[in-house]
């Protein structure tokens, strides 16, 4: 049983880490503490490129539930994801947020604001812009492959 009362076998993020369920998406990188994934393609067969999640491997609901080691890994990894997105995509900015109201399993959103996104699309709505670059499963997998080397550095390195 998870800390929130939801059995781990039913948690959508735990299921995702097993490659199952509606949230399952391409894994960019993982280690003993974290799993980094890209948003999967939707019903139209595409996804806005550059929308990632940094998730605790352990089934815990909130930022406050992470161990020091998990929190350190998350901070370092979120920065590396931001660096990777900035390097590999044309971005105006890289945003990050922790909300956790829909799934009680720690996950941090890290996502590109694509260059040229009009101001009327707020920071959380950049993926609604019709001009945001989208990719098929193959294009998302290609991007994940390009992002992966930025995350695979030894944790003792900058
Ligand atoms: Zn979970």
């Amino acid at each position: 049983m998870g800390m929130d009362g939801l059995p781990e076998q039913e948690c959508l993020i735990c299921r995702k880490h097993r490659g199952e369920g509606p949230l399952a998406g391409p894994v960019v990188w993982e280690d003993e503490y974290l799993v980094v994934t890209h948003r999967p393609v939707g019903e139209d067969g595409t996804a806005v490129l550059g929308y990632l999640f940094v998730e605790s491997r352990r089934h815990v609901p909130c930022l406050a539930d992470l161990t020091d080691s998990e929190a350190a890994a998350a901070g370092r990894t979120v920065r590396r994801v931001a660096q990777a997105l900035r390097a590999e995509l044309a971005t105006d900015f890289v945003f990050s947020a922790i909300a956790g109201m829909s799934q009680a399993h720690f996950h941090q959103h890290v996502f590109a604001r694509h260059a040229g996104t009009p101001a009327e699309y707020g920071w959380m709505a950049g993926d609604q812009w019709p001009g945001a670059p989208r990719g098929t499963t193959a294009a998302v997998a290609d991007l994940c492959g390009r992002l992966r080397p930025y995350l695979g550095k030894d944790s003792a390195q900058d």
Side-chain angles (χ1 to χ4, degrees), residues 130-143:
R134 305 183 69 88
T136 60
T137 298
V140 171
D142 176 73
L143 176 62

Side-chain angles (χ1 to χ4, degrees), residues 39-64:
R39 179 189 270 181
V41 300
E43 290 180 0
D44 69 348
T46 72
V48 171
L49 294 173
Y51 199 115
L52 278 70
F53 302 95
V54 175
E55 299 159 343
S56 58
R57 187 174 287 287
R58 241 170 15 104
H59 179 79
V60 292
C62 300
L63 179 61

Side-chain angles (χ1 to χ4, degrees), residues 26-121:
V27 174
V28 179
W29 183 82
E30 56 191 316
D31 72 359
E32 63 188 303
Y33 300 120
L34 303 171
V35 180
V36 179
T37 58
H38 192 286
R39 179 189 270 181
V41 300
E43 290 180 0
D44 69 348
T46 72
V48 171
L49 294 173
Y51 199 115
L52 278 70
F53 302 95
V54 175
E55 299 159 343
S56 58
R57 187 174 287 287
R58 241 170 15 104
H59 179 79
V60 292
C62 300
L63 179 61
D65 299 310
L66 298 181
T67 64
D68 279 355
S69 295
E70 288 168 332
R76 184 169 57 235
T77 300
V78 165
R79 173 175 61 84
R80 289 177 179 177
V81 170
Q83 290 172 329
L85 290 173
R86 187 173 64 182
E88 294 296 327
L89 296 172
T91 62
D92 285 339
F93 207 80
V94 177
F95 293 122
S96 185
I98 303 170
M101 296 181 72
S102 61
Q103 299 297 325
H105 180 138
F106 174 79
H107 59 285
Q108 184 162 353
H109 303 245
V110 190
F111 51 101
R113 184 169 180 87
H114 292 284
T117 304
E120 62 261 36
Y121 292 89

Side-chain angles (χ1 to χ4, degrees), residues 8 11 13-14 59 104-105:
E8 290 184 24
C11 167
I13 293 178
C14 287
H59 179 79
H105 180 138

